[in-house]
């Protein structure tokens, strides 16, 4: 039997395709410089048993399998570099349980931010989860599995720390459970067993397919205020961010440089920094149980900003003056949001970034070094950063947009720039997150050789036939 | 009715093709995150969302994708309801939303292109084309039977020439025939100077929405325009949102007739105090916005005004209403070749109507009436369906 027929016998013909429209759509992210692949099939399983059967089949036949929810990683992580079966998990979108008391949800792997938000709002309005700024249609789990960053990452840690437990189909077809759910009926913690979570986190779908996850939920605070902190140079901006993080008063601290801010406002390139325009726009989100608590936190914030010499004001004060196309206006209050200006605002319709986890003390230097590279390459630099985990770490990402999807020369130029940026940030001490294949290789080149060897062994052990999303983390 | 080549210029100006990154927002109602796209809901693959189709169009126009039968099926598996376009938030600094403005016309232009290269429409739709050209309706009925269900007593008293033509439309003429009776009697009550065409043909909707070449569309359109001119009318009234949109939007540059839906006429009469409802209706009522009337032509308020004017009516909105309304499932001529898709989509609407606790579901469209009534039967639902024209007449 042909592979197609075999897969049809597992999921039914409605949910398998080897037809041109699906093969085209699932070949590429339609956003980045990462090259498209050539999938053989696209399949949409409905449950863990179907995932298992497909993976067993693929493993026997040596055919790659690429887990997929919306393909919006901004790193081409679902482009099928070596062909194979793209497994779109969006039919597995159920919320299996919400435990209000213990504040967690058990969800299937294909659930999107929009779907989980809707479920919680309708059934558990006092609870929320932590969001990426990714599209509403993006999966909840991909960001967690790939160490993304969330609107609550300053307070509660980077995205993977939201995971209490996982159910995973191994590349050889067995199903494993990780965390308390492997012992107990409750998906309430990943402790206190040896933490096997790391076998599946940060691996870009190369060590197995997660089918369920227990994820943390949080109570919504009754008081919240969003503040803008504008600084004329990034040095003072980052300094203020670090002090605010250390004061432990905020849920979120993130920033855009002036160019990113213009892009998210919907401006069309070319644009320049105007006279008197701040270089860095920082957003600080503060929540509280009482008005008094909010006032006290605001006082601390203002004090820090005064000391550093940066301007602070409430976001709502400038809301009416924002351009109509500004898409952040709704953020924080109404996650998730479609911040499409981030990929099309400058009218290119394309986007790629290099982002690193970085010690916050290096943020300003990273900014200045990368700025020079952008100037040398003749591109405008879009920069964004976020404080993570009470200020213990941070991320900064540098992006480029405004080349058209079909513009091969533009694509190549951006690619060269991105590689140079990645190199510079690694040199400085950063580590590239959600790296596309070339950046993953750069990470590995600098990594301790025994670390790489251990990774290789782990990968070999879990995926002996190298079927899981090959081309990513190519060990 | 733009061709893709003509349309390309506008699309490129706003960079519509480049700006979609298949983010998926268009498959949800923005903010409440209820499902918005019937095609995506039914067929699941990304391909069926608006984003999927925009990128297929982009691939074709940039020489990365050859059109084939499967791509054609994707474009014809869409109700053209337009909900997706409303949800995409891509916005210019001045507030212009290019996807909202142009995406649906692009989907239609792609159908036209598929016809041009010999891949469209779907065979079942082609049979409909042939029948329209032969018998002037899409329902495989005889043209000579078109007026069989018209209320004879009313028709008898109609003048040869009048200011207004009541354009009946095929669905009312052959299937939802009560709507004709109701509409005519309402027009009588309003004392307007109207008539019907001696020889009305299909408005051309099934041809236009499936990308038929202009000469085929012209054949029916020219006939109808001449017939209306013969009747001496300068205004068209219809109870069918499909015909309404065709006359008001698609054919806007082909005639100078004023075009109104019955609900607009009635709502205006209520406003002027010329029409009041005497008989109360003690019921919870919910209203389904037909896509062609609501989203595509912006008529949201008149039917609500009418319903609220009937004493005793408690109007309860469905979760997805007005701009966010869930399609009945019959749009884009999909019902001719994907009846199961239409039925599933309609059943979802009935579920949503039931959720309001209403005992009566009302709409203002013979197409929606046909589809939603079938779904009520299929589901064994206890909710009742009435077209708004019937309700108006009963409660005057
Ligand atoms: C405008 C914009 C803003 C963004 N902002 C943020 C942000 O603030 N924070 C952030 O972290 N990210 C951000 N992102 C990127 C982010 O990664 C994605 O939006 C989102 O998390 C990816 O979801 P997806 O469903 O598209 O994942 P996909 O692209 O489908 O998958 C991503 C990776 O996860 C793997 N994968 C998916 N599901 C599974 C599974 N069940 N088991 C194993 N592997 C799996 C895939 O194989 C792939 O390697 C942003 C993206 C955009 C476009
Ligand atoms: S049409 Fe808009 S909402 Fe839909 S995928 Fe494209 S960008 Fe996203
Ligand atoms: S027009 Fe309707 S069915 Fe077609 S893609 Fe848009 S929302 Fe889906």
């Amino acid at each position: 039997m042909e592979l197609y027929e075999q897969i049809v016998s597992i999921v039914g013909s409605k949910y398998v395709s080897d037809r041109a429209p699906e093969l085209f759509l699932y070949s590429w992210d339609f956003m980045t410089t990462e090259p498209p692949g050539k999938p053989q099939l696209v399949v949409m399983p409905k449950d863990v048993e179907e995932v298992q059967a497909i993976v067993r089949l693929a493993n026997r036949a040596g055919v790659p399998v690429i887990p997929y929810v919306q393909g919006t990683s901004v790193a081409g992580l679902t482009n099928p570099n070596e062909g194979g079966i793209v497994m779109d998990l969006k039919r597995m979108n159920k919320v299996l349980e919400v435990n209000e008391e213990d504040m967690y949800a058990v969800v299937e792997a294909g659930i999107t931010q929009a779907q989980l938000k809707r479920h919680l709002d309708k059934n558990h309005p006092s609870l929320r989860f932590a969001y990426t700024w990714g599209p509403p249609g993006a999966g909840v789990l991909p960001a967690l599995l790939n160490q993304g960053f969330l609107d609550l990452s300053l307070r509660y840690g980077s995205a993977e720390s939201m995971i209490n437990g996982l159910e995973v189909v191994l590349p050889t077809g067995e199903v494993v459970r990780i965390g308390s759910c492997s012992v107990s009926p409750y998906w309430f913690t990943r402790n206190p067993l040896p933490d096997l979570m790391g076998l599946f986190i940060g691996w870009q779908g190369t060590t197995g397919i997660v089918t369920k996850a227990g994820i943390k939920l949080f109570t919504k605070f009754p008081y919240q205020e969003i503040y803008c902190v504008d600084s004329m140079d990034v040095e003072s901006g980052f300094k203020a961010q670090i002090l605010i993080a250390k004061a432990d008063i905020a849920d979120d601290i993130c920033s855009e440089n002036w160019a990113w801010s213009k892009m998210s406002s919907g401006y069309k390139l070319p644009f320049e920094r105007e006279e008197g325009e701040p270089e860095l726009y920082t957003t600080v989100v503060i929540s509280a149980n009482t008005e008094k608590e909010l006032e006290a936190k605001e006082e601390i914030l203002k004090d820090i900003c005064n000391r550093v010499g940066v301007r602070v004001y409430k976001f709502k004060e400038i809301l009416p003056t924002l351009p109509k196309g500004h898409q952040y206006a709704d953020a924080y209050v109404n996650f998730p949001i479609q911040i499409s200006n981030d990929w099309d605002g400058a009218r290119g319709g394309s986007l790629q970034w290099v982002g690193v986890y970085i010690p916050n003390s290096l943020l300003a230097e990273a900014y200045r070094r990368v700025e020079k590279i952008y100037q040398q390459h003749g591109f405008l630099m879009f920069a964004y950063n976020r404080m993570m985990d009470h200020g213990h770490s941070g991320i900064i990402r540098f992006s480029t947009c405004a080349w058209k999807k079909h513009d091969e020369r533009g694509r190549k130029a951006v690619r060269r720039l991105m590689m140079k940026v990645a190199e510079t940030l690694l040199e400085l001490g950063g580590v590239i997150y959600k790296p596309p294949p070339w950046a993953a290789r750069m990470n590995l080149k600098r990594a301790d050789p025994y670390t790489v060897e251990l990774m290789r062994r782990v990968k070999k052990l879990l995926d002996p036939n190298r079927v899981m999303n090959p081309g990513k983390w190519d060990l | 009715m733009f061709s893709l080549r003509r349309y390309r210029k506008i699309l490129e100006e706003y960079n519509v093709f480049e700006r979609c990154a298949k983010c998926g927002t268009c498959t949800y109602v923005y903010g409440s995150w209820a499902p918005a796209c019937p095609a995506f809901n039914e067929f699941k693959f990304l391909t069926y969302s608006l984003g999927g189709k925009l990128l297929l169009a982009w691939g074709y126009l940039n020489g990365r994708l050859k059109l084939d039968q499967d791509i054609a099926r994707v474009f014809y598996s869409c109700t053209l309801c337009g909900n997706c376009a409303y949800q995409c938030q891509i916005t210019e600094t001045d507030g212009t939303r290019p996807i909202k403005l142009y995406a649906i016309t692009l989907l239609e232009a792609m159908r036209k292109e598929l016809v041009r290269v010999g891949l469209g429409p779907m065979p079942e739709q082609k049979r409909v084309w042939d029948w329209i050209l032969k018998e002037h309706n899409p329902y495989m009925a005889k043209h000579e039977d078109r007026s069989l269900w018209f209320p004879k007593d009313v028709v008898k008293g109609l003048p040869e020439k009048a200011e207004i033509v009541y354009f009946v439309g095929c669905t009312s003429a052959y299937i939802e025939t009560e709507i004709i009776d109701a509409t005519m009697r309402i027009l009588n009550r309003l004392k307007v100077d109207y008539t019907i065409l001696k020889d009305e043909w299909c408005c051309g909707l099934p041809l236009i929405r499936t990308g038929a070449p202009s000469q085929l569309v012209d054949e029916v359109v020219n006939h109808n325009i001449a017939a209306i001119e013969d009747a001496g009318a300068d205004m068209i009234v219809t109870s069918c949102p499909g015909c309404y949109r065709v006359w008001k939007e698609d054919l806007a540059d082909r005639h100078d007739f004023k075009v109104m839906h019955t609900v607009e006429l009635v709502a205006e009469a209520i406003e002027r105090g010329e029409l009041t409802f005497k008989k109360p209706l003690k019921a919870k009522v919910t209203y389904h916005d037909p896509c062609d009337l609501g989203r595509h032509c912006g008529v949201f308020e008149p039917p609500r005004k009418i319903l609220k004017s009937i004493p005793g009516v408690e109007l309860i909105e469905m979760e997805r209403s007005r701009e966010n309304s869930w399609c009945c499932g019959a749009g884009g001529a999909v019902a001719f070749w994907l009846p199961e898709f239409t039925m599933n989509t309609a059943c979802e609407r009935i579920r949503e109507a039931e959720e309001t606790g209403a005992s009566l579901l009302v709409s203002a469209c013979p197409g929606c009436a046909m589809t939603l009534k079938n779904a009520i039967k299929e589901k064994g639902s206890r909710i009742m369906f009435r077209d708004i024209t019937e309700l108006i007449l009963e409660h005057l």
Side-chain angles (χ1 to χ4, degrees):
Chain A
M1 239 199 304
E2 291 266 327
L3 184 70
Y4 175 82
E5 271 94 45
Q6 287 176 301
I7 303 271
V8 167
S9 71
I10 299 168
V11 298
S13 60
K14 188 173 175 188
Y15 299 112
V16 195
S17 176
D18 61 355
R19 300 178 293 270
E22 280 74 37
L23 299 190
F24 180 71
L25 251 291
Y26 288 85
S27 67
W28 191 30
D29 60 8
F30 294 91
M31 192 188 275
T32 66
T33 65
E34 301 311 311
K38 280 199 174 136
Q40 262 170 280
L41 296 175
V42 184
V43 59
M44 297 192 78
K46 75 166 185 312
D47 55 28
V48 59
E49 286 77 20
E50 289 189 358
V51 173
Q52 251 185 310
I54 296 163
V55 168
R56 284 208 170 107
L57 182 67
N59 192 40
R60 272 200 309 275
V63 176
V65 181
I66 299 97
Y68 185 109
V69 181
Q70 192 69 18
T72 61
S73 63
V74 200
L77 298 181
T78 49
N79 295 359
N81 301 94
E82 298 182 17
I85 303 168
V86 176
M87 187 185 281
D88 183 341
L89 294 161
K90 276 198 293 297
R91 282 178 74 212
M92 296 171 61
N93 61 1
K94 287 194 274 301
V95 178
L96 300 168
E97 183 193 344
V98 171
N99 185 322
E100 285 204 9
E101 278 292 274
D102 300 314
M103 292 188 296
Y104 69 80
V106 182
V107 295
E108 289 188 321
I111 195 163
T112 63
Q113 300 202 94
Q115 289 164 342
L116 184 54
K117 158 84 171 163
R118 178 170 168 80
H119 182 92
L120 291 178
D121 279 359
K122 278 195 129 182
N123 304 294
H124 310 277
S126 65
L127 292 172
R128 56 159 297 181
F129 64 103
Y131 297 89
T132 72
W133 291 70
V140 173
L141 296 194
L144 311 195
L145 294 173
N146 293 296
Q147 299 147 315
F149 49 92
L150 312 167
D151 75 311
L152 296 179
S153 279
L154 176 64
R155 205 183 241 271
Y156 302 113
S158 53
E160 78 290 347
S161 46
M162 302 296 151
I163 304 177
N164 286 347
L166 293 177
E167 177 189 86
V168 189
V169 173
L170 298 181
T172 39
E174 303 88 343
V175 179
V176 294
R177 283 195 171 186
I178 314 277
S180 61
C181 64
S182 66
V183 178
S184 144
Y186 300 99
W187 296 61
F188 68 112
T189 175
R190 61 212 280 173
N191 298 327
L193 305 166
D195 192 355
L196 296 176
M197 208 73 80
L199 296 175
F200 308 101
I201 285 176
W203 285 90
Q204 306 184 347
T206 62
T207 53
I209 300 178
V210 170
T211 43
K212 290 186 189 87
I215 63 166
K216 287 178 183 159
L217 301 177
F218 305 96
T219 45
K220 291 180 189 161
F221 287 96
Y223 296 89
Q224 189 191 59
E225 196 64 67
I226 301 155
Y227 300 88
C228 300
V229 176
D230 296 353
S231 48
M232 296 313 289
D233 54 59
V234 293
E235 285 74 11
S236 57
F238 290 135
K239 190 171 169 196
Q241 288 187 19
I242 290 169
L243 292 175
I244 301 163
K246 281 184 177 167
D248 217 1
I249 52 170
D251 295 352
D252 194 10
I253 305 170
C254 58
S255 81
E256 300 168 327
N257 74 338
W258 67 270
W260 196 306
S261 168
K262 277 206 154 63
M263 170 169 71
S264 57
S265 300
Y267 284 92
K268 187 173 174 176
L269 273 172
F271 44 68
E272 286 180 354
R273 186 174 166 200
E274 284 147 43
E275 227 185 275
E277 187 176 355
E279 188 170 32
L280 197 70
Y281 295 95
T282 297
T283 306
V284 177
V285 182
I286 292 182
S287 53
N289 287 293
T290 63
E291 222 170 326
K292 264 194 170 158
E293 185 188 346
L294 191 63
E295 278 166 20
K297 284 178 170 173
E298 185 180 303
E299 200 182 316
I300 299 168
L301 173 70
K302 283 184 173 162
D303 180 51
I304 292 170
C305 292
N306 283 341
R307 270 191 284 139
V308 181
V310 292
R311 183 175 163 232
V312 59
Y313 52 93
K314 287 179 182 160
F315 185 48
K316 62 184 174 213
E317 286 166 13
I318 55 147
L319 257 181
T321 66
L322 291 177
K324 282 194 182 124
H326 202 293
Q327 295 184 323
Y328 288 6
D330 227 16
Y332 296 109
V333 195
N334 279 319
F335 270 120
I337 50 166
Q338 184 196 14
I339 46 169
S340 52
N341 285 344
D342 275 15
W343 69 77
D344 87 286
R347 301 297 179 274
S350 296
L351 168 73
Q352 183 139 16
W353 56 52
V354 171
V356 283
Y357 272 65
I358 197 165
N360 288 320
S361 56
L362 297 177
L363 283 171
E365 195 176 342
Y367 188 97
R368 292 292 176 223
R369 281 203 201 176
V370 173
E371 189 179 40
K372 277 205 191 94
I373 297 166
Y374 270 80
Q375 278 162 3
Q376 283 159 6
H377 285 245
F379 279 93
L380 186 62
M381 181 177 84
F382 300 90
Y384 176 95
N385 91 298
R386 191 171 232 159
M387 297 268 132
M388 312 268 279
D389 193 11
H390 304 271
H392 289 108
S393 65
I395 63 99
I396 187 159
R397 67 187 182 200
F398 297 95
S399 86
T400 315
C401 58
W403 81 98
K404 292 198 171 188
K405 288 193 216 306
H406 57 267
D407 167 15
E408 194 49 29
R409 271 182 56 205
R411 192 189 78 83
K412 282 190 179 146
V414 171
R415 180 67 152 218
R416 278 194 298 275
L417 168 69
M418 290 288 100
M419 291 179 107
K420 191 75 196 147
V421 171
E423 229 172 72
T424 308
L425 291 168
L426 279 167
E427 240 163 53
L428 190 65
V431 185
I432 305 168
Y433 73 84
K434 291 190 195 166
W438 55 269
R441 280 193 291 277
M442 283 184 177
N443 268 343
L444 293 177
K445 217 167 134 194
R446 285 185 175 260
D448 177 298
Y450 296 104
T451 308
V452 178
E453 180 51 30
L454 181 59
M455 283 172 73
R456 213 170 262 142
R457 284 191 213 166
V458 168
K459 167 74 179 171
K460 184 94 190 142
L461 179 77
L462 291 172
D463 184 18
N465 296 326
R466 199 177 161 274
V467 292
M468 289 303 308
N469 207 358
K472 315 295 171 337
W473 278 126
D474 220 357
L475 292 154
Chain B
M1 286 203 298
F2 284 116
S3 75
L4 192 57
R5 268 156 231 290
R6 248 183 85 193
Y7 198 48
R8 188 178 183 155
K9 272 187 83 173
I10 309 175
L11 297 170
E12 280 177 354
E13 189 184 321
Y14 282 106
N15 215 3
V16 170
F17 293 117
E18 302 291 336
R19 298 169 83 174
C20 174
K22 59 151 184 57
C23 74
T25 300
C26 49
T27 63
Y28 301 97
V29 172
Y30 201 76
S32 80
W33 311 114
C37 172
F40 180 71
N41 214 45
E42 176 79 15
F43 301 105
K44 310 293 181 202
F45 290 111
L46 213 60
T47 335
Y48 291 85
S49 66
L50 172 63
K53 286 181 280 240
L54 286 180
L55 289 168
L56 291 177
W58 171 85
Y60 168 60
L61 286 166
N62 287 289
R64 295 186 178 220
L65 185 66
K66 270 210 192 107
L67 296 181
D68 70 7
Q69 199 57 55
D70 293 317
I71 294 170
R73 289 173 71 89
V74 171
F75 280 95
Y76 282 101
S77 302
C78 164
T79 66
L80 297 177
C81 68
N83 206 350
C84 48
Y86 265 83
Q87 310 307 335
C88 176
Q89 304 294 308
I90 287 181
T91 314
E92 303 276 327
T93 32
D94 64 2
T96 306
R97 288 171 55 191
I99 301 267
K100 179 176 154 197
L101 287 177
Y102 300 116
I104 299 303
T105 324
L106 167 68
L107 297 185
E108 290 191 6
M110 272 304 287
R111 288 184 175 195
K112 208 162 178 183
E113 183 70 359
L114 286 159
V115 170
R116 194 185 67 80
V117 301
L119 291 165
M122 296 295 104
E124 295 84 344
Q125 295 167 331
K126 179 68 177 52
R127 276 201 291 281
V128 168
W129 285 14
D130 296 342
W131 197 261
I132 290 176
L133 295 173
K134 185 166 160 265
E135 294 289 339
H136 316 311
N137 75 80
Y139 294 119
M140 305 297 146
K142 288 272 175 214
H143 182 55
E144 65 203 41
D145 294 344
R146 194 174 184 95
S147 55
L148 226 53
W149 292 274
F150 288 16
K152 308 249 166 357
D153 58 321
V154 184
V155 174
K156 231 173 27 200
L158 293 179
E160 289 246 320
K161 290 189 187 279
E163 281 166 26
I164 297 174
V165 155
Y166 163 38
F167 195 90
V168 177
C170 304
T171 315
S172 299
Y174 292 102
I175 297 168
E176 296 300 322
T177 52
E178 299 87 348
I179 294 176
I180 314 174
D181 189 88
T183 305
M184 286 189 167
R185 291 181 201 282
I186 293 167
L187 294 175
N188 282 353
R189 286 289 191 96
L190 291 174
K191 298 193 172 51
V192 292
D193 175 26
Y194 83 100
T195 189
I196 51 171
L197 293 182
K198 275 205 215 91
D199 186 23
E200 177 188 291
W201 288 11
C202 171
C203 69
L205 175 144
L207 299 171
I208 295 171
R209 300 280 166 260
T210 52
S214 312
Q215 62 273 26
L216 297 194
V217 179
D218 286 351
E219 215 174 294
V220 292
V221 168
N222 290 343
H223 167 88
N224 282 331
I225 291 179
I228 297 168
E229 281 167 354
D230 267 1
D234 54 14
M235 180 171 164
I236 300 169
V237 170
T238 178
S239 289
C240 173
C243 304
Y244 176 80
R245 182 175 165 214
V246 164
W247 283 112
K248 190 155 176 131
E249 303 270 324
D250 297 277
L251 305 179
D253 56 357
R254 304 276 297 270
H255 64 82
D256 294 321
F257 312 129
K258 184 175 177 190
V259 184
M260 284 185 96
H261 188 281
T262 321
V263 291
E264 293 177 291
L265 207 66
V266 172
E268 278 184 10
I270 293 173
E271 191 115 306
R272 288 195 301 267
E274 290 167 11
L275 191 136
T276 46
F277 292 105
K278 306 214 171 55
K279 297 181 200 145
L281 172 65
K282 276 239 150 304
K284 287 186 179 163
V285 175
T286 190
Y287 174 74
H288 165 77
D289 288 282
C291 304
D292 279 331
L293 190 64
R295 235 176 339 250
H296 291 305
C297 291
V299 181
F300 296 112
E301 221 31 69
R304 290 176 168 79
K305 185 176 179 60
I306 294 169
L307 291 173
K308 283 184 209 155
S309 306
I310 302 176
V313 164
E314 185 187 341
L315 180 64
I316 311 170
E317 293 288 352
M318 283 185 259
E319 184 189 352
R320 292 168 291 188
S321 72
R322 297 175 185 264
E323 287 88 348
N324 301 325
S325 195
W326 179 255
C327 172
C328 77
V334 294
F336 293 118
W337 80 289
L338 295 169
E340 199 181 317
F341 169 36
T342 298
M343 179 58 85
N344 292 343
T345 307
C347 284
E348 165 64 8
R349 192 57 164 165
I350 297 302
R351 187 202 57 72
E352 190 174 1
E354 287 171 338
E355 221 172 60
T356 62
S359 56
L360 193 59
L361 168 62
V362 175
S363 193
C365 172
C368 298
M370 175 171 75
T371 316
L372 294 172
K373 284 201 282 200
N374 284 342
I376 289 173
K377 223 182 278 163
E378 172 79 12
K379 272 178 74 90
S381 171
R382 292 176 57 176
I383 204 161
M384 293 266 296
F385 180 90
R386 300 308 297 277
D387 188 80
I388 196 160
T389 50
E390 299 170 67
L391 216 61
I392 294 168
L393 187 68
E394 279 164 25
H395 295 275
L396 283 176

